[in-house]
Amino acid sequence: MSLPGPFSDTALVEPRLRTEVPGPRSRALHEQRLRVVPRGVGSVLPVYIEHADGPWVTDVDGNRFLDLGSGIGVTTIGHTNRAAVNAATAQLDRVTHTLFTVTPYEGYVRLAEQLAARTPGDHEKRTMFANSGAEAVENAVKIARRHTGRRAVAALDHAFHGRTTLALAMNHKAVPYGAGFGPFAPDVHRVPNSYPYRDGLSGADAAARTIAYLEQRIGADDLAAVISEPIQGEGGFVVSAPGYLPALQEWCTQHGVVFIADEIQTGLGRTGTWFASEHFDLVPDLVLTAKGIAAGLPLAGVTGRAEIMDAPDPGGLGGTFGGNPVSIAAALAVFEELGDGDYFEDAVRIGAHLGTRLRELSARHPVVGDVRGIGAMQAFELSSPGTTQPLPGAASAIAEFAAQRGILLLTAGSDGNVIRFLPTLTTTDAQLDVAIDVIDAALRTLG
Ligand code: PLZ
């Protein structure tokens, strides 16, 4: 279990603001930053963080924020989780780098064993490690193509898979991710997803529509892989209708198409299970991990069926920092924490509490059109009352209102009209209540 840091005290409920937001030190740093960092690298809220612990982040002006985004779903087991920090610190002193493809080390093997044990399915598996989610996506596509000898890849509407040029072709949103960065990789297709709130389709009907697109626009014989997030993250926590994903996977299996689950945002305890695929009875051919896997250190994994993963020849997979020993040590601690701790129960508790409180908000505020999610991955979508038409501007106004009161919220959705919650699993119900009350007040100002 995690050892307490100074702010892990669960009795601490309220954010603490000492200055306006952003405060004078953050503003000074921001001015300096604009002279040396390109504007393409944005920051949602330019408060410069000095330290972080549990669900709290404290900025250079001494303002303490309740972080309900966890650095976009990374510090799932809490900021500066002691077990992960201690493991990484000890590893720094032993070996910081050799490059696994030059002279290997044990941690890589142990972590691959953990992923084989914890990802869905009891088939034989292999895992390779990379540095970022986008790199995991890239490697999965390479591996699927090498295995199948086919060229095309399909992703779903509202998907997000990263910022490398291959991933840009897979993302739903051109603006701001892809616009101006083309040409994009060929043979990448996007097909309709299941979005029950907007399309009203059953899982079977939505799957039939997706499959018709796959068959008519690409053809199974040319299709190497279908990639799907079990719950779409940047797309707005879109939970597909029951039966949709299993039907899609079944079609893939029938046609020799590799089914890739991008669990980069959903995996590692976030939804109250090791992987969100479990909620949908999915046994993906390949499972992608990143974000929460190493509690904040950069690491990503591609885990999958041995016969698929072994398709590339030696030297075909790798990269200088992939599976860095320090990140691996932190990740082994994450697996131990998740295996031994109460984190899954906490994710379920957070989901139940947030779900109840958000549905209360929805009953009182007609702009809250939909509340959805699983476990500690909850969201609400803002629509023009009585319709499913996205309400522009409201989500960012709520996030800004909350930031001014010490609550860090993330927006999401292809239309930017979703507020999503990715709290650390150490966040208490009382802390969540503080945030919900602030959101309630923000919604009242929207009228
Ligand atoms: N797949 C499902 O959520 C990253 C994006 C932040 P990297 N999501 C956060 C931003 O603005 O770039 C993500 C994801 C899913 C892939 C990725 C990409 O992971 O580690 O950011 O490359």
Side-chain angles (χ1 to χ4, degrees), residues 180-191:
F181 294 131
F184 302 110
D187 278 320
V188 178
H189 304 262
R190 267 192 319 279
V191 294

Side-chain angles (χ1 to χ4, degrees), residues 72 132-134 160-163 229 234 262 264-265 291:
I72 316 197
S132 67
F160 181 86
H161 295 294
R163 288 173 179 275
E229 301 154 83
E234 305 304 304
D262 178 343
I264 287 165
Q265 197 160 146
K291 289 198 186 279

Side-chain angles (χ1 to χ4, degrees), residues 26 29 45-53 56-65 67 79 408:
S26 277
L29 275 170
L45 180 68
V47 295
Y48 286 72
I49 301 304
E50 202 268 322
H51 64 267
D53 186 13
W56 302 103
V57 295
T58 304
D59 73 10
V60 288
D61 293 290
N63 299 312
R64 184 181 66 229
F65 296 85
D67 179 8
H79 283 283
L408 293 191

Side-chain angles (χ1 to χ4, degrees), residues 1-22:
M1 284 301 293
S2 130
L3 306 170
F7 296 109
S8 296
D9 184 355
T10 52
L12 203 58
V13 172
E14 299 277 348
R16 178 194 66 198
L17 294 186
R18 291 199 160 143
T19 69
E20 67 276 23
V21 175

